[in-house]
Amino acid sequence: MTIGKDDLLRMYRQMRTIREFEERLHLEIQTGEIAGFTHLYSGQEAVAVGVCDLLDHADTIVSTHRGHGHCIAKGCDVTAMMLEIYGRADGLCNGKGGSMHIADFEVGMLGANGIVGGGPPIAVGAAIAARIDNSDRVSVAFGGDGSSNQGTVFEAMNMAVVLKAPAIFVFENNGYGEHTGADYAVGANDIRSRSEAFGMLSLAGDGNDVFDVRDKMAAALKHARAGSGPVSLEFATQRYFGHFEGDPQRYRAKGEVDEARTSVDCLKQFREHATVIAADISDELDAIDKAVLELIDSAVATAKSAPPPTADDVLTGVYGTY
Amino acid sequence: MTIGKDDLLRMYRQMRTIREFEERLHLEIQTGEIAGFTHLYSGQEAVAVGVCDLLDHADTIVSTHRGHGHCIAKGCDVTAMMLEIYGRADGLCNGKGGSMHIADFEVGMLGANGIVGGGPPIAVGAAIAARIDNSDRVSVAFGGDGSSNQGTVFEAMNMAVVLKAPAIFVFENNGYGEHTGADYAVGANDIRSRSEAFGMLSLAGDGNDVFDVRDKMAAALKHARAGSGPVSLEFATQRYFGHFEGDPQRYRAKGEVDEARTSVDCLKQFREHATVIAADISDELDAIDKAVLELIDSAVATAKSAPPPTADDVLTGVYGTY
Amino acid sequence: MAIKNIREAINETLHHEMERDPNVIVLGEDISGGAGTPSGKREAIGGIWGTTGGLLPKFGAERVIDTPISESAIVGAAAGASLAGKRAVAELMFADFIGVCFDQLYNQIAKFRYMFGGDVSCPVVIRLIYGAGMNSAAQHSQAMYSFLTAVPGLKVVTPTNAADAKGLLTTAIRDDDPVMFFEHKALYTKKCEVPDGEHLVPFGRASLVRQGDAATVVAIGRMVSFAEKTADKLASEGIGVDLIDPRTLSPLDEDTIIDSVEQTGRLIVVDESPPRCSVAGDIAATVAAKAFSSLKAPIELVTAPHTPIPFARELERAYVPGPDKIEASIRRCVGYQ
Amino acid sequence: MAIKNIREAINETLHHEMERDPNVIVLGEDISGGAGTPSGKREAIGGIWGTTGGLLPKFGAERVIDTPISESAIVGAAAGASLAGKRAVAELMFADFIGVCFDQLYNQIAKFRYMFGGDVSCPVVIRLIYGAGMNSAAQHSQAMYSFLTAVPGLKVVTPTNAADAKGLLTTAIRDDDPVMFFEHKALYTKKCEVPDGEHLVPFGRASLVRQGDAATVVAIGRMVSFAEKTADKLASEGIGVDLIDPRTLSPLDEDTIIDSVEQTGRLIVVDESPPRCSVAGDIAATVAAKAFSSLKAPIELVTAPHTPIPFARELERAYVPGPDKIEASIRRCVGYQ
Ligand SMILES: Cc1ncc(C[n+]2csc(CCOP(=O)(O)OP(=O)(O)O)c2C)c(N)n1
Ligand SMILES: Cc1ncc(C[n+]2csc(CCOP(=O)(O)OP(=O)(O)O)c2C)c(N)n1
Ligand SMILES: [Mg+2]
Ligand SMILES: [Mg+2]
């Protein structure tokens, strides 16, 4: 696909925002102010952004426990997300969901999910709805390598094929499910082939290269929007932090993350590619870096000073009517 | 594999016993004496017998809702089975299980299962046990084409690969899951490829040809007993009766079953092959037909006159101790 | 008004609601049947219980969806479609199959609204065919509405006659919350007068099936039919009881139950489930907490035993609480000084 | 005797039982950790709760099995291995995940013995880590032992101190029936004296944690710790209560509870679960049916509200029943005339 400068700037801003959001959370969490389990997305930004860049708000995504990147890429308000992660009353989910349950239906973000494999069946449903509406909407389900061992994910893929639903299954193979390697837990460690066996278009790509991700996604969208059925995309990537914040990460090879950060980092690669496409772009990228830093600063400041929910809020929002 | 005359006679007796058992049940059920749902195996005999012929009692199998054939092939007592299906106190499960829950651990039959996909995870566990015992036991999970869409089955296959467990997954593709065709419900309708994508040895064969089934099973056993991990076998076959007794079978093509009974019937084919291998065998096969008929007659007679359980029996056998 | 059985009432309601609202869709295994078969003929079955017949020919395969045998994907797809603007009605041909899709029911559907801040709706209906009476043994006969009644975020409905089946299913489909709609397989042929045209039964309103002041009998699902017989028999002896059918287990109409107990002072709860953590126990506990001062006798719980469901006719008959057991409990309760 | 916390007691018991019986095996996600990783180092974690550390180095990967993220296969494999002569101990790192393996728990493991005629054993232990207190939100904080207590064929255990954790886990592993072993994540660091050597706590025997005649308080799991504080506070005011920890919910020691209520005439049940079809309701119903004549006051149920579990600290704190709520209920119950 041909890429213009605005495309470059837009994608870069998204990736940088995710990176900054997560790196900052990594620090803030150490202050003890943020409760619960937090799973950071740093390192995988190119996947979320490459996939979501070609979607609009009418298209839907379902996410995972590691959902911040997907939320930001799909257009969730960064400050409202930060408020939610801090458990504030004005958080995106009023402090009831937290990091693992962020959703914003306005922008087509149908929810992160604390249950591995919980999302794909839901994505198939949203895809069915798109079909019934005779729209060209698609529904994307994000998942990890580990999730490709959860029965619900296979059921969802088969059903999408059977119903020719415009669902796109995006597998981010970061090599780990918690403290265990995909080489061990994922038989054959080839999720693309698993998907293909159901009879769907299945592609694999480089999850550190946002351009490759975006190209694969473009092919997937062409297929799905045309009514030709579901698509599966597997991207190799890596996470920079632990499975959750606090993970001792004894499973890492020596220097594994530093190596990744210096050699294959998606932002670093992007800058190199970008300057080839638009030689004069670096100042603008620097400006984005600065703007994003300010955005995250203010989001954190807002979150810290925002009021928590009150005890009465526990009882509200269980039912529409009861 | 070379096959001797005893092999032929043994396999034929087993297939004929299953056929007779089921054809007779089909008639007896119409008298209304037999309660519950009954799923008959007629037409698929070559699979159960070809698979179980090379197993001994130490090897285990788990079965499905359509389990009579598997039970007989694995060595369950035919009369005790008939008593169970009639809900008698002396049935194989004391009348508590019925057609869908027959088990006999003595012969390595770990249970039929009323839940589609319920068995394979259990089979993986039995395979793990075999490994720990340093035995060369294998564990077989029977399933249908429809079951290949149930998440538990995929989880079981992947786990068997990961743990290199001596599990053999046998898929009987009879073209239907209840009233729906495998061509619709099973994406790509190629279960062998689904299994292969997990990284296991996966073979397909002719489920109407007991010799082909047995050869494929021999290859599977060689692989699994050697500690090389799990195997998947897919066999094309067909069921002669409805999904359950009472099924109106509106989904059938005109003459579909008659065609199958005359053209590809496993017993018919067997007789043709067998007489090639051992010209003088027909009389002995006829003798088996007669003996089996008597066996089933007496099993039914015994079952009809046997006493039912009593109300007090409801409360027993829930726990070992409580 | 016309005489209909529950199967007919449910089928007609599905037809009516699909006509009324193009966003209503139906999905499940063999809902129509025949897809991908040699005959190619659809409508091979119309649902194994015959409740979804005629929908596919009328509304098409886009809205009447036959699925693979993948309950997690069925319930999840129903949920996702409902989050995306549809009103999905999914059938679990046996309620016992909640085991293979329980996460989608109790961690997903039930919690979306709350987890996501209270404004999100998932207007899905799950039809669960349940109960003993057909000798389907341990995995095809259970009455486990207690599992779902326990889950905040779900509504649970147990129609016991054709009129309520129509009225409650209509309400369920138009409700913006997830509804677990339990249909007892042994009640499908039960007939009664069913109002023509629009008929909605509100959730959280019990129905008083019989009136009397000797005791309060709360019966659930199929147990209502048994309790009716018993109540009539005892009435002929001059022992009149209030027989209450809660109709919805969540929300539960506590007021009607408590008001009655305040009159009668005696409570018998009849439930087809095993006793532990059952709806019977739930109702008994509620009364013991909120109407204690009115109670004149120990609460009687008539339930199945703490065992799986046996296959043989003689065993299943002994397992299911019948009119005899109900009668004995009522007499014991009424006779208590 | 030595002071240990629950985490240590469970880890030591697993070590001891695996040494004692070569048929005992352990499986679950990241039980050891590190398999198939670049470092290749096993024991990367030893269970995310640290309860299975050191097992793999000592007993090897054949008996200490790290699994894929496939709970149905984990529980099913544990079941199958146990049907084939092993005693499998499977860990569900969060009890909330029963949703993705519920069929294997309630239709398979629970029913094998009964369906197959009564002679078959499935000596499996499922360790379920449960409960609120870590702000893990709606899908990682639930206390849903009621779902499994409801299931005939299962035994359900809820240790509340290190000594019982050792004694009950030992009994569970040696028991021939399937046992659901619930470990509260907020109790792992709770310390107490633990008997050295062999220590078995029988199932179906409650422990009387405090004694008094003003009321009977039955508390479950983490609620026992809260109730202890309340009981001690009230005792200092001269209000003594029997505080009963059932220890096993199935079988339930009804006798100890009923005997106490016959003395005190007043019952308060404290349960971290939401109220509907809860163990709290189950115990209340049992008492209302079997000790009615002794009751002098309405039964008090102290439970979480009928809502999912919220994330924010302030909300979770308000959700979980605390000492204050327990105290208020006891005072109300004791004060009732
Ligand atoms: C059903 C279920 N099982 C286990 C877990 C615990 N858990 C949370 S994330 C995770 C690992 C998921 O691995 P992967 O899918 O590769 O995603 P990643 O963490 O690498 O992004 C596990 C085991 C869960 N949340 N849900
Ligand atoms: C989890 C579950 N879903 C649905 C059913 C109902 N059911 C019983 S058998 C069957 C069809 C199974 O098809 P297949 O696996 O091909 O086996 P076959 O009947 O052809 O032998 C279905 C849907 C069930 N028993 N369990
Ligand atoms: Mg991963
Ligand atoms: Mg089939």
Side-chain angles (χ1 to χ4, degrees):
Chain A
M1 288 187 85
T2 63
I3 294 209
K5 198 172 182 184
D6 336 350
D7 301 319
L8 292 173
L9 295 172
R10 187 182 60 250
M11 287 193 281
Y12 182 77
R13 177 184 297 275
Q14 291 283 48
M15 289 199 291
R16 173 58 65 191
T17 305
I18 296 169
R19 174 67 55 88
E20 214 55 56
F21 190 91
E22 299 293 65
E23 299 281 330
R24 181 63 178 269
L25 271 179
H26 176 68
L27 300 176
E28 295 298 334
I29 281 165
Q30 289 159 39
T31 69
E33 220 180 325
I34 294 168
F37 288 100
T38 320
H39 307 83
L40 301 180
Y41 193 72
S42 286
Q44 307 183 197
E45 294 85 352
V47 180
V49 173
V51 165
C52 294
D53 191 60
L54 297 169
L55 300 177
D56 59 39
H57 287 355
D59 298 309
T60 56
I61 69 168
V62 296
S63 174
T64 68
H65 57 286
R66 198 176 302 288
H68 302 169
H70 309 135
C71 293
I72 292 171
K74 194 64 170 65
C76 293
D77 179 77
V78 167
T79 305
M81 282 176 61
M82 193 65 80
L83 284 162
E84 185 60 30
I85 291 163
Y86 271 82
R88 302 311 189 203
D90 298 333
L92 208 38
C93 305
N94 306 131
K96 283 178 173 162
S99 168
M100 270 194 288
H101 304 296
I102 293 176
D104 183 356
F105 285 38
E106 303 288 300
V107 301
M109 200 303 173
L110 297 189
N113 208 308
I115 302 298
V116 169
I122 296 162
V124 172
I128 291 171
R131 266 267 305 263
I132 296 171
D133 294 340
N134 291 313
S135 74
D136 71 348
R137 281 173 0 234
V138 301
S139 169
V140 176
F142 286 96
D145 46 285
S147 79
S148 78
N149 299 322
Q150 188 60 242
T152 54
V153 177
F154 299 104
E155 290 190 8
M157 290 198 282
N158 182 62
M159 190 175 295
V161 167
V162 169
L163 302 179
K164 264 186 157 234
I168 299 172
F169 301 91
V170 176
F171 291 98
E172 300 182 66
N173 193 333
N174 62 10
Y176 296 99
E178 288 203 345
H179 314 265
T180 296
D183 285 334
Y184 172 82
V186 182
N189 198 0
D190 176 359
I191 302 169
R192 197 198 61 77
S193 295
R194 291 183 178 197
S195 311
E196 194 168 46
F198 291 103
M200 81 175 96
L201 172 63
S202 303
L203 310 170
D206 176 358
N208 298 314
D209 176 354
V210 72
F211 302 103
D212 186 46
V213 173
R214 193 166 180 270
D215 288 348
K216 297 292 190 305
M217 184 61 182
L221 284 171
K222 193 153 170 299
H223 186 86
R225 294 205 199 274
S228 310
V231 184
S232 169
L233 303 176
E234 176 181 8
F235 296 109
T237 179
Q238 66 288 308
R239 62 167 154 84
Y240 288 165
F241 293 117
H243 168 61
F244 53 84
E245 288 306 275
D247 174 359
Q249 300 184 68
R250 293 195 210 94
Y251 46 80
R252 296 281 196 187
K254 225 170 158 329
E256 178 187 337
V257 174
D258 302 341
E259 165 64 20
R261 281 191 185 259
T262 48
S263 65
V264 298
D265 182 76
C266 59
L267 284 155
K268 213 155 151 297
Q269 287 195 48
F270 180 94
R271 271 195 178 251
E272 286 151 16
H273 283 63
T275 37
V276 174
I277 304 170
D280 63 345
I281 203 169
S282 14
D283 297 355
E284 289 158 277
L285 298 184
D286 295 339
I288 287 174
D289 291 351
K290 196 162 158 306
V292 167
L293 201 57
E294 284 159 10
L295 171 66
I296 302 301
D297 279 337
S298 91
V300 169
T302 312
K304 286 186 183 219
S305 58
T310 64
D312 307 347
D313 299 333
V314 170
L315 301 178
T316 61
V318 181
Y319 296 93
T321 56
Y322 197 72
Chain B
M1 289 186 81
T2 61
I3 293 209
K5 200 171 182 185
D6 329 354
D7 301 319
L8 291 174
L9 296 172
R10 186 182 59 250
M11 288 194 281
Y12 183 76
R13 177 183 298 273
Q14 291 283 49
M15 290 200 290
R16 173 58 65 191
T17 304
I18 297 169
R19 175 66 55 87
E20 213 55 55
F21 190 90
E22 300 293 65
E23 299 282 330
R24 181 63 178 269
L25 271 179
H26 177 67
L27 299 177
E28 295 298 335
I29 281 165
Q30 288 159 40
T31 69
E33 220 179 324
I34 295 168
F37 287 100
T38 318
H39 308 82
L40 301 180
Y41 193 72
S42 286
Q44 307 183 197
E45 294 84 353
V47 180
V49 173
V51 164
C52 294
D53 190 58
L54 297 169
L55 301 176
D56 58 38
H57 287 355
D59 299 308
T60 55
I61 69 168
V62 297
S63 173
T64 68
H65 57 286
R66 197 176 304 287
H68 302 169
H70 308 136
C71 293
I72 292 171
K74 194 63 170 65
C76 294
D77 179 77
V78 167
T79 305
M81 282 176 60
M82 193 64 78
L83 283 161
E84 185 59 31
I85 291 164
Y86 271 82
R88 303 311 188 203
D90 299 333
L92 207 39
C93 305
N94 307 129
K96 284 178 173 162
S99 168
M100 270 195 289
H101 304 297
I102 293 177
D104 183 356
F105 285 38
E106 303 288 299
V107 300
M109 202 299 171
L110 297 189
N113 208 308
I115 302 299
V116 169
I122 296 162
V124 172
I128 291 170
R131 266 267 305 264
I132 295 170
D133 295 341
N134 291 313
S135 75
D136 71 348
R137 293 188 331 252
V138 301
S139 169
V140 175
F142 285 96
D145 46 285
S147 80
S148 78
N149 299 323
Q150 187 62 242
T152 55
V153 177
F154 298 104
E155 290 191 7
M157 288 198 284
N158 182 63
M159 190 174 295
V161 167
V162 168
L163 302 179
K164 265 189 157 229
I168 299 173
F169 301 91
V170 176
F171 291 98
E172 301 182 65
N173 193 332
N174 62 10
Y176 296 99
E178 287 202 346
H179 315 264
T180 297
D183 285 334
Y184 171 82
V186 182
N189 198 0
D190 175 359
I191 302 169
R192 196 198 62 75
S193 296
R194 293 183 176 196
S195 312
E196 195 168 44
F198 291 103
M200 83 175 94
L201 173 63
S202 304
L203 309 170
D206 176 359
N208 298 314
D209 176 356
V210 72
F211 301 105
D212 186 46
V213 173
R214 194 165 179 270
D215 288 349
K216 297 291 192 303
M217 185 62 182
L221 284 170
K222 193 152 172 300
H223 185 85
R225 294 206 199 274
S228 309
V231 184
S232 168
L233 303 176
E234 176 180 9
F235 295 109
T237 178
Q238 67 286 308
R239 63 167 154 83
Y240 288 165
F241 294 117
H243 168 61
F244 53 84
E245 288 305 276
D247 174 1
Q249 300 184 68
R250 294 194 210 94
Y251 47 80
R252 296 280 196 187
K254 223 170 158 335
E256 178 187 337
V257 173
D258 301 342
E259 165 64 20
R261 282 190 184 259
T262 47
S263 65
V264 298
D265 182 75
C266 59
L267 285 154
K268 213 155 152 296
Q269 287 195 48
F270 180 94
R271 271 193 177 255
E272 286 151 15
H273 284 64
T275 35
V276 175
I277 304 170
D280 62 344
I281 203 169
S282 324
D283 297 356
E284 287 157 278
L285 298 184
D286 295 341
I288 289 175
D289 291 351
K290 197 162 157 306
V292 167
L293 201 57
E294 285 159 10
L295 172 66
I296 301 301
D297 279 339
S298 91
V300 170
T302 310
K304 287 185 183 218
S305 58
T310 63
D312 308 345
D313 299 331
V314 170
L315 302 178
T316 61
V318 181
Y319 296 94
T321 57
Y322 196 72
Chain C
M1 293 280 229
I3 300 283
K4 286 170 192 158
N5 67 26
I6 292 181
R7 173 179 290 114
E8 294 157 348
I10 287 171
N11 181 255
E12 286 175 25
T13 305
L14 290 172
H15 276 272
H16 182 266
E17 291 304 300
M18 288 194 78
E19 264 159 25
R20 180 178 170 277
D21 180 354
N23 281 320
V24 176
I25 66 172
V26 172
L27 69 163
E29 295 157 17
D30 292 315
I31 284 300
S32 170
T37 58
S39 81
K41 265 199 251 73
R42 298 309 309 272
E43 283 294 283
I45 192 72
I48 73 157
W49 303 106
T51 47
T52 50
L55 294 172
L56 181 121
K58 199 188 293 176
F59 302 104
E62 291 274 309
R63 289 177 63 198
V64 182
I65 303 169
D66 273 0
T67 69
I69 306 168
S70 310
E71 283 76 9
S72 287
I74 293 168
V75 176
S82 300
L83 291 177
K86 301 301 151 200
R87 293 182 175 273
V89 182
E91 173 176 308
L92 290 181
M93 63 168 69
F94 287 86
D96 311 68
F97 306 157
I98 61 169
V100 290
C101 57
F102 197 57
D103 182 73
Q104 287 292 333
L105 295 169
Y106 104 108
N107 272 331
Q108 309 297 338
I109 287 180
K111 296 175 168 60
F112 287 143
R113 179 185 294 272
Y114 193 81
M115 292 191 299
F116 299 159
D119 301 328
V120 168
S121 294
C122 187
V124 64
V125 177
I126 310 294
R127 295 179 44 237
L128 306 106
I129 292 75
Y130 78 106
M134 291 178 66
N135 307 104
S136 321
Q139 295 174 338
H140 287 73
S141 308
Q142 299 170 88
M144 77 299 286
Y145 31 65
S146 65
F147 293 148
L148 298 168
T149 301
V151 179
L154 299 180
K155 293 176 177 175
V156 179
V157 182
T158 51
T160 63
N161 62 64
D164 286 352
K166 173 178 181 174
L168 291 166
L169 183 54
T170 305
T171 303
I173 292 172
R174 300 184 192 180
D175 195 280
D176 283 341
D177 294 312
V179 179
M180 307 292 114
F181 193 86
F182 280 86
E183 302 169 16
H184 200 298
K185 55 175 82 80
L187 291 180
Y188 272 130
T189 55
K190 196 182 170 199
K191 287 197 169 78
C192 75
E193 291 268 340
V194 176
D196 306 322
E198 287 263 316
H199 174 56
L200 284 85
V201 173
F203 290 171
R205 290 275 181 80
S207 77
L208 189 57
V209 181
R210 294 287 187 278
Q211 265 185 306
D213 47 25
T216 301
V217 179
V218 179
I220 297 152
R222 186 186 183 199
M223 297 298 106
V224 173
S225 319
F226 292 165
E228 278 173 352
K229 289 192 191 60
T230 312
D232 294 342
K233 177 178 176 192
L234 293 173
S236 67
E237 298 178 23
I239 305 172
V241 300
D242 274 354
L243 173 56
I244 296 171
D245 172 359
R247 299 201 288 196
T248 67
L249 304 179
S250 179
L252 178 70
D253 182 355
E254 292 186 358
D255 297 347
T256 296
I257 295 169
I258 288 169
D259 292 349
S260 173
V261 171
E262 281 169 352
Q263 303 305 314
T264 65
R266 299 166 194 273
L267 175 66
I268 300 95
V269 191
V270 192
D271 182 353
E272 185 177 325
S273 312
R276 301 302 312 279
C277 302
S278 61
V279 172
D282 181 80
I283 291 170
T286 301
V287 168
K290 301 185 177 174
F292 172 77
S293 58
S294 312
L295 281 173
K296 302 198 204 93
I299 295 172
E300 290 277 340
L301 301 174
V302 187
T303 70
H306 186 66
T307 77
I309 301 171
F311 164 68
R313 283 196 178 90
E314 296 75 8
L315 296 176
E316 191 193 64
R317 210 175 292 123
Y319 173 92
V320 176
D324 46 347
K325 285 197 186 110
I326 300 170
E327 182 180 337
S329 290
I330 296 176
R331 288 189 189 281
R332 189 164 43 241
C333 191
V334 170
Y336 182 90
Q337 299 309 352
Chain D
M1 291 279 229
I3 301 280
K4 286 171 192 158
N5 68 26
I6 292 181
R7 174 181 287 113
E8 293 158 348
I10 286 171
N11 181 257
E12 286 175 23
T13 304
L14 290 172
H15 275 272
H16 182 265
E17 291 304 298
M18 288 194 78
E19 264 159 23
R20 178 177 172 277
D21 179 353
N23 281 322
V24 175
I25 66 172
V26 171
L27 70 163
E29 295 157 16
D30 292 315
I31 285 300
S32 171
T37 58
S39 82
K41 266 199 249 74
R42 299 308 311 271
E43 283 293 285
I45 191 72
I48 72 156
W49 302 107
T51 48
T52 50
L55 294 172
L56 182 121
K58 199 188 292 175
F59 302 104
E62 291 274 307
R63 289 177 63 198
V64 183
I65 302 169
D66 273 0
T67 70
I69 306 168
S70 309
E71 283 75 10
S72 287
I74 292 169
V75 175
S82 301
L83 291 177
K86 302 300 151 200
R87 292 181 176 275
V89 182
E91 174 176 307
L92 290 181
M93 64 168 68
F94 287 86
D96 311 68
F97 305 158
I98 61 169
V100 289
C101 56
F102 198 56
D103 182 73
Q104 287 293 334
L105 295 169
Y106 105 108
N107 271 332
Q108 309 297 338
I109 286 179
K111 295 175 168 59
F112 287 143
R113 180 186 291 273
Y114 192 81
M115 291 191 299
F116 299 160
D119 302 328
V120 168
S121 294
C122 186
V124 65
V125 177
I126 310 295
R127 296 180 43 238
L128 306 106
I129 292 75
Y130 79 105
M134 292 178 65
N135 307 104
S136 319
Q139 294 175 338
H140 287 73
S141 309
Q142 299 169 88
M144 77 300 286
Y145 31 65
S146 64
F147 293 147
L148 297 168
T149 301
V151 179
L154 299 180
K155 293 175 178 176
V156 179
V157 182
T158 51
T160 62
N161 62 63
D164 285 354
K166 173 177 181 174
L168 290 167
L169 184 55
T170 305
T171 303
I173 292 171
R174 300 185 192 181
D175 195 280
D176 282 342
D177 294 312
V179 179
M180 306 292 114
F181 193 86
F182 280 86
E183 302 168 17
H184 199 298
K185 55 175 82 81
L187 291 180
Y188 271 130
T189 55
K190 196 181 169 200
K191 286 198 169 76
C192 75
E193 292 267 342
V194 177
D196 307 322
E198 286 263 314
H199 173 56
L200 285 86
V201 173
F203 290 171
R205 293 270 182 81
S207 77
L208 188 58
V209 181
R210 294 288 186 279
Q211 266 186 304
D213 48 25
T216 301
V217 179
V218 179
I220 297 152
R222 185 185 182 199
M223 297 299 106
V224 173
S225 320
F226 292 166
E228 277 173 352
K229 289 192 192 59
T230 314
D232 294 341
K233 176 177 177 192
L234 293 173
S236 67
E237 299 177 23
I239 305 171
V241 300
D242 274 354
L243 172 56
I244 295 171
D245 172 359
R247 298 200 290 195
T248 66
L249 304 180
S250 179
L252 178 70
D253 182 356
E254 292 185 357
D255 296 347
T256 297
I257 295 169
I258 288 170
D259 291 350
S260 173
V261 171
E262 281 168 353
Q263 303 304 315
T264 65
R266 298 165 195 272
L267 175 67
I268 300 95
V269 192
V270 191
D271 182 352
E272 186 177 325
S273 313
R276 301 301 312 281
C277 302
S278 61
V279 171
D282 181 79
I283 291 171
T286 301
V287 168
K290 300 185 178 174
F292 173 77
S293 58
S294 314
L295 281 174
K296 302 197 203 94
I299 294 173
E300 289 277 341
L301 301 175
V302 187
T303 70
H306 186 66
T307 77
I309 301 171
F311 163 68
R313 283 198 178 89
E314 296 75 8
L315 296 176
E316 192 194 64
R317 208 175 294 122
Y319 173 92
V320 176
D324 46 349
K325 286 201 186 103
I326 300 170
E327 181 180 338
S329 290
I330 296 176
R331 288 188 188 279
R332 188 164 47 242
C333 191
V334 170
Y336 181 90
Q337 300 309 351

